[in-house]
Amino acid sequence: MNITIEWTYKSKNGVETVFRSDEMPPAHALAIAEDLEKTGRVKNITFIDQYDSTWMAKELKKYIKEVETEPHNVRVYFDGGFDIQTSFSGLGVVIYYEQNGKSYRLRRNAPAQGLVSNNEAEYAALHLSVVELDLLDVHHQKVKFIGDSQVVINQMSGEWPAYEKELASWADRIDEKLKSLGITPEFELVPRKQNDEADRLATQALKGVDITGQIELQ
């Protein structure tokens, strides 16, 4: 969740105006609000989340304490591979997140059958990543999804339409799952080299090598 601060500023001659900040993490918003209050010229400080709901300072402090015990600052890398000779697919997912002041990495891959193209395998990998987020109990926050598939990234972000029935169906399923979890997705397209970890997992799945693991990062 990100927060926008809105406040009324009163000048020395009594002129008032309203300012609104950029979005920022809740802890940053609280710190800036405290600094603004010290000027003695600020009143009506309001904290607003991305859903246009308002928060009191004590509510934000409680939220910050609670979120530390839950997975947050989540980044997801996903990749799908399709073998046209065997019609066999491999899916790879890497999830980075923080919890209780520590950083973690989760890796997961899976084989898949019944898919008809590499684009569909990419969508299946993205869907697998959302399922893993559900298992991690990630909810009601912004999550960045990173992949090297122009089709998936541009269609999920709304830049491109999804004309193919199979791909549109995957996109709808993923959107519904994200909505049920309260996750606001942010999609980022990267070169394949920057997605090599997820790509390697997908390739291993194609070769029948199962990878499932979670480690704390130092």
Side-chain angles (χ1 to χ4, degrees):
M1 179 177 72
N2 281 331
I3 292 292
T4 299
I5 314 171
E6 188 174 278
W7 69 94
T8 301
Y9 177 82
K10 186 175 182 179
S11 67
K12 290 183 179 180
N13 58 8
V15 177
E16 293 186 356
T17 189
V18 176
F19 289 96
R20 191 180 179 102
S21 74
D22 294 330
E23 288 187 347
M24 64 188 78
H28 294 178
L30 281 173
I32 290 175
E34 290 174 359
D35 283 346
L36 288 171
E37 287 180 330
K38 291 176 183 178
T39 67
R41 297 187 180 281
V42 171
K43 63 180 182 179
N44 301 330
I45 295 179
T46 304
F47 302 98
I48 307 167
D49 64 22
Q50 62 261 46
Y51 305 105
D52 288 328
S53 298
T54 58
W55 296 64
M56 297 175 63
K58 64 179 182 180
E59 292 174 327
L60 271 187
K61 291 177 182 177
K62 181 180 178 181
Y63 169 82
I64 291 170
K65 288 183 179 180
E66 290 176 347
V67 80
E68 281 299 316
T69 65
E70 301 174 353
H72 57 280
N73 292 338
V74 182
R75 291 178 293 124
V76 176
Y77 292 82
F78 69 94
D79 194 52
F82 178 74
D83 187 337
I84 194 171
Q85 301 298 326
T86 63
S87 295
F88 196 70
S89 300
L91 318 178
V93 173
V94 185
I95 301 175
Y96 291 91
Y97 64 96
E98 297 175 18
Q99 188 173 14
N100 294 318
K102 298 178 181 180
S103 298
Y104 296 90
R105 183 194 67 189
L106 181 150
R107 297 193 303 160
R108 172 90 160 87
N109 73 353
Q113 290 181 304
L115 308 181
V116 299
S117 68
N118 192 74
N119 286 334
E120 193 174 4
E122 293 277 7
Y123 263 109
L126 177 57
H127 183 267
L128 176 64
S129 74
V130 178
V131 171
E132 290 298 320
L133 292 179
D134 190 6
L135 294 174
L136 277 175
D137 200 24
V138 175
H139 57 85
H140 296 93
Q141 59 180 285
K142 184 180 290 186
V143 173
K144 179 174 285 189
F145 293 90
I146 303 164
D148 56 52
S149 168
Q150 286 191 359
V151 171
V152 173
I153 295 296
N154 288 330
Q155 288 182 349
M156 290 302 300
S157 62
E159 295 293 325
W160 293 0
Y163 293 120
E164 297 179 51
K165 183 179 179 180
E166 292 83 3
L167 303 188
S169 178
W170 277 107
D172 289 342
R173 288 172 59 190
I174 293 166
D175 279 336
E176 289 174 8
K177 185 68 174 177
L178 290 171
K179 185 177 181 180
S180 71
L181 296 174
I183 291 176
T184 302
E186 178 181 330
F187 296 98
E188 180 179 348
L189 179 65
V190 297
R192 182 172 294 275
K193 284 186 177 180
Q194 294 181 26
N195 198 33
D196 60 341
E197 197 170 15
D199 176 68
R200 187 162 56 251
L201 287 170
T203 300
Q204 288 171 316
L206 276 171
K207 295 178 179 179
V209 180
D210 178 64
I211 304 291
T212 300
Q214 181 177 335
I215 64 169
E216 179 185 342
L217 302 175
Q218 302 300 323

